């Protein structure tokens, strides 16, 4: 019973949210707000006629490429900033500005430079995803307990051992939380780029169904993105469990 | 030419560690000033002194974790320039890897030396048993009490088989009963392991109980003010030491010389 508690709680909270959505749709809060059941019906229809898969084939390209670039370069850059003593003042501000910048205002600039193709969209995903990954990684690395590094040194660790056996495992919880935040932001970036640059993929479904007032389809598309993001984040959590098995011991909430 | 002459009764046996005229300055704080001290091989030497007088600093300089501002350290006649396989450290704050099991923590020093997994785990198991943690090999640090964690740190230091053990207040996190048990175990260890122990403690009684030699440090900037070598009760059984007149006498003497710094 207790073992299934987290799952039960998740289901319960999902039930409450969907229930509230259904009620709000029935009231209705706004004529443009469909009920949960209508939206699910639209999602089922798009799944069976395959249009949602076609759309995701399009949307996932900048998303996957952007998230991969952000993860690899973000963690790499974060490690470098965190390990180097003098460069923090130089690089951290760039990413803090990137994190705070109004992305919508930057998009026309990107389009001017890189056109309306995949490159611009990948850029938008990276701008959204990268800063939090870099900043989290850098601060996690910098906050590695000095006593653990000292311990390793006293037992004759090489720099490489200190990095792989002390700094990375110690930093991994914060790095992964940065990755989770970055991936969520990347999802937002991918959709934003499809809404602001050229309507393709899921962004196209949203734009198009809104223009013809097919609100259930619009909300179905939005819902599918959230669902995908949740699935992806859960996979990421599994990956963390596999890579850093010992980490959730002693840190885990319960 | 030395300003402070250490007690001359020492230097009968050869030294495993020699500290010569070591000074350490942190920014504007002078932690150690011209400190000289010999640590006889196979014996346990305690460093006793007021808080902040530089005991941890001295231990880390001997370990090669901190550079001395001036002066030099020799271990087995070789000048210390960094950490080496001849010394191992038991840290005041344990410094265990929270993501690693007890056995991996204990074997960590050997892991860093590239010893094969099966071999290092066999060695680690032996020392886990020796510090009384058999059965806890697969547990993680957060599942252990403070005293048990301290013993993991001790087992890790023992497992690399270094000639010199540097122990920084290794019994600070345990209750009085456990502490007495540890002190007895430590006496056994000194007898069986034939290693040189350098032991930092705040407790006068503990220092007198376990030591072959006690070095009393003055407050900052720290030098050795006195070296005491208990002579008569070391061979007695552990139960009788605390009743020995010399034991009580030395405890009183140390308290008399330290109390002026407390007031
Ligand atoms: N990294 C450092 N930077 C600056 N000052 C330091 C540093 N480490 C220690 N000190 C200073 O050096 C002095 C000696 O410190 P140390 O930790 O060696 O004392 P200690 O004798 O081990 O004290 P305690 O018994 O409380 O553990 C202290 O006054 C402390 O303020
Ligand atoms: Mg100390």
């Amino acid at each position: 019973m207790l073992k299934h508690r987290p799952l039960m709680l998740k289901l319960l909270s999902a039930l409450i949210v969907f229930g509230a959505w259904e009620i709000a749709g029935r009231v209705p809060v706004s004529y443009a707000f469909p009920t949960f059941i209508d939206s699910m019906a639209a999602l089922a229809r798009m799944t069976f006629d395959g249009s949602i898969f076609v759309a995701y084939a399009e949307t996932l390209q900048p998303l996957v490429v952007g998230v991969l670039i952000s993860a690899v370069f973000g963690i790499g850059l974060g490690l470098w900033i965190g390990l180097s003593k003098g460069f923090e003042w130089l690089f951290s501000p760039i990413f803090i500005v990137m994190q705070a910048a109004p992305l919508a205002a930057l998009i026309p600039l990107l389009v001017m430079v890189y056109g309306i193709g995949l490159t611009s969209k990948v850029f938008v995903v990276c701008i959204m995803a990268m800063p939090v990954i870099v900043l989290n990684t850098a601060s996690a690395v910098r906050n590695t307990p000095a006593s653990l590094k000292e311990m390793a040194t006293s037992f004759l660790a090489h720099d490489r051992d200190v990095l792989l056996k002390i700094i990375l495992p110690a930093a991994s919880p914060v790095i992964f939380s940065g990755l989770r935040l970055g991936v969520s932001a990347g999802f937002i970036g991918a959709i934003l780029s499809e809404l602001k640059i050229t309507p393709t993929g899921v962004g196209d479904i949203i734009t198009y169904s809104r223009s013809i007032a097919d609100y259930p389809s619009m909300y179905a598309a939005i819902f599918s993105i959230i669902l995908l993001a949740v699935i992806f984040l859960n996979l990421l959590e599994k990956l963390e469990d596999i890579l850093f098995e010992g980490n959730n011991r002693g840190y885990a909430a319960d | 030419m030395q300003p402070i002459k250490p007690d001359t009764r020492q230097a009968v046996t050869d030294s495993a560690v020699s500290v010569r005229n070591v000074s350490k300055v942190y920014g504007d704080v002078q932690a150690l000033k011209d400190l000289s001290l010999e640590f006889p091989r196979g014996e346990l030497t305690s460093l006793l002194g007021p808080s902040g007088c530089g005991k941890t600093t001295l231990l880390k300089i001997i370990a090669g974790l901190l550079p001395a501002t001036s002066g030099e350290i020799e271990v087995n006649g070789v000048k210390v320039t960094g950490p080496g396989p001849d010394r191992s450290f038991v840290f005041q704050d344990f410094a265990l890897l929270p993501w690693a099991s007890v056995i991996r923590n204990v074997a960590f020093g050997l892991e860093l030396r590239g010893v094969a997994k099966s071999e290092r785990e066999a060695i680690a198991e032996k020392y886990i048993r020796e510090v009384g943690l058999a059965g806890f090999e697969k547990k993680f640090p957060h599942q252990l009490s403070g005293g048990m964690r301290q013993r993991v740190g001790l087992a890790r230091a023992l497992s690399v088989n270094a000639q010199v053990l540097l122990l920084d207040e290794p019994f600070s996190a345990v209750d009085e009963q456990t502490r007495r048990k540890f002190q007895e175990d430590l006496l056994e260890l000194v007898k069986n392991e034939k290693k040189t122990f350098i032991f930092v403690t705040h407790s006068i009684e503990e220092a007198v109980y376990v030591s072959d030699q006690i070095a009393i440090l003055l407050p900052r900037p720290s030098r050795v003010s006195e070296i005491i070598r208990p002579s008569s009760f070391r061979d007695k059984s552990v139960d009788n030491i605390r009743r020995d007149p010399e034991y009580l006498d030395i405890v009183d003497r140390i308290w008399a010389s330290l109390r002026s710094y407390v007031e």
Side-chain angles (χ1 to χ4, degrees):
Chain A
M1 184 66 215
L2 262 179
K3 211 177 82 190
H4 295 298
R5 222 174 85 112
L7 184 67
M8 303 267 285
L9 283 178
K10 273 183 197 167
L11 284 178
L12 187 69
S13 81
L15 210 67
I16 291 171
V17 170
F18 295 151
W21 181 354
E22 181 67 23
I23 291 166
R26 275 172 197 264
V27 168
V29 181
S30 149
Y31 76 95
F33 192 74
T35 64
F36 175 66
I37 291 170
D38 286 345
S39 304
M40 288 307 105
L43 185 60
R45 180 174 45 70
M46 286 192 283
T47 310
F48 287 121
D49 71 12
S51 56
I52 195 107
F53 299 111
V54 177
Y56 270 106
E58 192 80 38
T59 304
L60 284 177
Q61 283 176 35
L63 180 62
V64 169
V65 174
V67 162
L68 277 179
I69 291 176
S70 304
V72 172
F73 284 90
I75 292 177
L77 212 57
L79 283 178
W80 186 63
I81 294 174
L83 290 172
S84 64
K85 303 236 156 45
F87 289 102
E88 197 218 339
W89 59 272
L90 187 61
F91 286 97
S92 286
I94 297 177
F95 291 101
I96 290 167
V97 168
M98 254 168 90
Q99 202 170 24
L103 184 63
L106 287 177
I107 287 178
L109 211 70
L110 279 175
V111 172
M112 233 164 65
V113 180
Y114 296 105
I116 55 168
L118 189 62
T119 322
S120 286
K121 290 178 183 169
V122 169
F123 253 96
V124 174
V125 173
C126 288
I127 290 177
M128 291 293 289
M130 192 108 98
V132 69
I133 297 177
V134 174
L135 294 174
N136 266 39
T137 306
S139 85
V141 167
R142 218 170 306 112
N143 291 326
T144 310
S147 68
L148 290 186
K149 286 190 274 187
E150 195 167 50
M151 181 276 291
T153 315
S154 86
F155 286 103
L156 309 178
H158 302 290
D159 286 351
R160 197 177 49 113
D161 295 322
V162 175
L163 180 65
L164 294 180
K165 296 182 176 192
I166 306 287
I167 295 177
L168 273 184
S172 70
V174 179
I175 294 179
F176 268 90
S177 88
L179 270 181
R180 276 192 289 274
L181 291 171
V183 167
S184 320
F187 269 84
I188 298 172
I191 300 306
L192 204 63
S193 74
E194 288 186 330
L195 293 177
K196 295 275 176 189
I197 299 176
T198 38
T200 51
V202 182
D204 183 39
I205 297 183
I206 295 174
T207 318
Y208 177 71
S209 44
R210 202 181 95 175
S211 70
I212 59 167
D214 179 7
Y215 295 111
S217 296
M218 177 180 153
Y219 277 83
I222 296 172
F223 178 82
S224 72
I225 289 175
I226 296 171
L227 191 69
L228 195 68
V230 169
I231 291 171
F232 202 87
L233 291 180
N234 274 310
L235 286 178
L236 207 58
E237 220 163 294
K238 290 272 181 302
L239 179 72
E240 183 182 0
D241 281 352
I242 294 166
L243 281 181
F244 296 97
E245 190 207 352
N247 263 353
N248 43 20
R249 304 169 203 264
Y251 300 122
D254 66 344
Chain B
M1 286 298 113
Q2 287 171 15
I4 290 278
K5 259 279 182 264
D7 192 318
T8 41
R9 275 179 300 165
Q10 59 152 20
V12 200
T13 41
D14 71 327
S15 298
V17 178
S18 313
V19 175
R20 299 210 187 98
N21 310 98
V22 164
S23 300
K24 177 70 186 175
V25 181
Y26 291 111
D28 54 355
V29 177
Q30 173 135 35
L32 303 175
K33 190 179 174 194
D34 207 19
L35 186 146
S36 298
L37 189 57
E38 298 291 322
F39 297 90
R41 190 181 311 282
E43 293 195 353
L44 189 150
T45 301
S46 293
L47 302 173
L48 194 61
S51 184
C53 76
K55 303 180 294 294
T56 299
T57 303
L58 177 60
L59 226 50
K60 286 189 175 165
I61 292 175
I62 295 174
L65 292 171
L66 279 179
T69 310
S70 67
E72 61 175 25
I73 311 276
E74 274 184 8
V75 176
N76 295 322
V78 181
K79 194 166 176 262
V80 168
T81 51
D86 47 1
R87 285 150 287 149
S88 64
F89 209 110
V90 178
F91 291 86
Q92 197 167 358
D93 61 354
F94 323 145
L96 302 182
L97 307 175
W99 54 83
S101 60
V102 166
I103 189 151
R104 177 152 184 243
N105 265 297
V106 173
F108 191 64
L110 296 167
E111 181 181 336
L112 291 173
R113 276 164 214 203
V115 178
K117 190 173 163 114
S118 57
E119 190 184 336
R120 66 178 189 246
E121 295 202 331
I123 298 172
E125 263 166 28
K126 169 172 173 258
Y127 285 101
I128 289 171
R129 246 179 287 122
E130 195 155 310
V131 299
L133 286 177
F136 290 90
E137 289 86 353
K138 297 277 171 298
K139 293 272 189 283
F140 284 78
H142 75 274
Q143 297 168 308
L144 307 178
S145 71
M148 291 160 93
R149 283 176 218 178
Q150 229 155 14
R151 278 183 275 173
V152 175
L154 187 60
R156 178 178 59 196
L158 289 171
S159 69
V160 294
N161 198 25
Q163 283 312 300
V164 178
L165 277 125
L166 306 157
L167 304 103
D168 196 355
E169 297 187 38
F171 305 154
S172 58
V174 296
D175 59 84
E176 186 58 30
Q177 296 92 290
T178 318
R179 196 171 177 132
R180 288 199 175 202
K181 167 83 172 61
F182 279 14
Q183 291 166 357
E184 289 178 10
D185 292 349
L186 183 62
L187 285 177
E188 280 294 300
L189 215 59
V190 177
K191 220 187 295 168
N192 300 336
E193 292 275 335
K194 308 253 179 299
K195 289 179 174 158
T196 308
F197 290 75
I198 304 181
F199 182 84
V200 169
T201 178
H202 273 145
S203 159
I204 299 174
E205 282 83 2
E206 179 168 281
V208 181
Y209 186 75
V210 300
S211 308
D212 298 299
Q213 165 177 291
I214 303 154
I216 312 234
L217 303 187
L218 291 175
R220 259 182 327 147
S222 208
R223 288 148 303 153
V224 180
S225 78
E226 201 177 346
I227 292 172
I228 296 170
R229 296 184 63 88
S231 54
S232 65
F233 58 78
R234 187 52 57 226
D235 311 320
K236 292 194 176 160
S237 82
V238 289
D239 307 318
N240 292 327
I241 294 180
R242 286 195 176 82
R243 276 194 294 261
D244 189 274
E246 192 196 2
Y247 168 85
L248 297 167
D249 196 47
I250 292 176
V251 169
D252 273 353
R253 206 168 110 207
I254 295 176
W255 171 231
S257 60
L258 281 179
R259 82 184 302 165
S260 57
Y261 300 113
V262 185
E263 281 160 358

